[in-house]
Amino acid sequence: SAVVPMASRVGSRYVMHMTDPTSLPSFPPPPSEHPLRGRVLDALIDEGFGPNIDDDGDVAFTVQDQQLFVRCMEGDFTVMRVFGQWQIGDDVPQDALTRLMACNELTLRLNVVKAGIANETLVVTGEHVVGPDTDIKGLLVVTTQLVLSAVHLWHETIMGRTQDETNETEQS
């Protein structure tokens, strides 16, 4: 029997017919693996959003040209966190205390929503403890609007405070 070099045997049987693994579609994990995340994906798809799962395992979606995320934490309690992150622009006062005071005012004024600053980024989040019978779609719709409204209110608050401080200084 003739000796066939190994490389040609492997190349002819496998390599030429192998599919590139990066060309395969990316399917979400089965709902049983992450039940809340599966419910969130279903709800966002039903609402017409094109959700994706990002590298952190969060569900990412875009609404009103804003990128938002849903983090699903399952354990003793199942928590759904809807959040967004916005880079703070140069038009916003640079004073850290002013920024944090606007976050504090917003967090105290609104139910469900919290705001904070991290590395020149405004983070607004709304969190819910959910159960098997929770209306995920309803919570997502309401919380998404609360988060987006909170960003708008934060900006109004901080810019209004700046205008008020400017007016007080001019009057002195």
Side-chain angles (χ1 to χ4, degrees):
S1 103
V3 175
V4 178
M6 185 66 160
S8 63
R9 220 182 320 161
V10 170
S12 64
R13 290 185 82 189
Y14 300 104
V15 177
M16 292 169 59
H17 301 289
M18 184 179 218
T19 304
D20 178 9
T22 61
S23 69
L24 296 175
S26 176
F27 296 106
S32 60
E33 192 173 308
H34 296 282
L36 177 58
R37 189 166 67 183
R39 292 170 64 198
V40 166
L41 285 166
D42 289 344
L44 290 171
I45 289 168
D46 288 350
E47 287 298 307
F49 299 108
N52 293 308
I53 298 174
D54 70 8
D55 293 339
D56 295 327
D58 297 330
V59 178
F61 67 104
T62 303
V63 59
Q64 299 174 12
D65 295 324
Q66 302 296 313
Q67 180 75 56
L68 295 179
F69 303 90
V70 181
R71 179 164 294 161
C72 302
M73 297 164 280
E74 299 178 70
D76 292 340
F77 295 97
T78 303
V79 177
M80 179 179 75
R81 174 185 292 157
V82 179
F83 67 99
Q85 304 172 72
W86 290 267
Q87 196 70 36
I88 298 174
D90 293 334
D91 61 327
V92 174
Q94 300 298 307
D95 179 50
L97 182 58
T98 302
R99 292 176 175 187
L100 292 171
M101 285 173 54
C103 288
N104 188 54
E105 186 174 321
L106 184 70
T107 299
L108 292 172
R109 188 186 323 168
L110 298 176
N111 293 326
V112 179
V113 176
K114 299 183 290 187
I117 305 283
N119 300 322
E120 297 299 311
T121 302
L122 173 66
V123 179
V124 180
T125 178
E127 299 174 356
H128 305 279
V129 175
V130 299
D133 298 327
T134 301
D135 176 12
I136 297 297
K137 188 186 303 185
L139 274 181
L140 280 170
V141 168
V142 169
T143 309
T144 296
Q145 289 309 311
L146 281 171
V147 167
L148 293 176
S149 295
V151 173
H152 180 73
L153 286 171
W154 182 85
H155 197 264
E156 276 187 351
T157 300
I158 198 162
M159 297 312 279
R161 180 173 288 129
T162 302
Q163 289 290 23
D164 293 345
E165 289 170 357
T166 303
N167 290 340
E168 287 173 12
T169 305
E170 289 173 358
Q171 291 173 0
S172 301

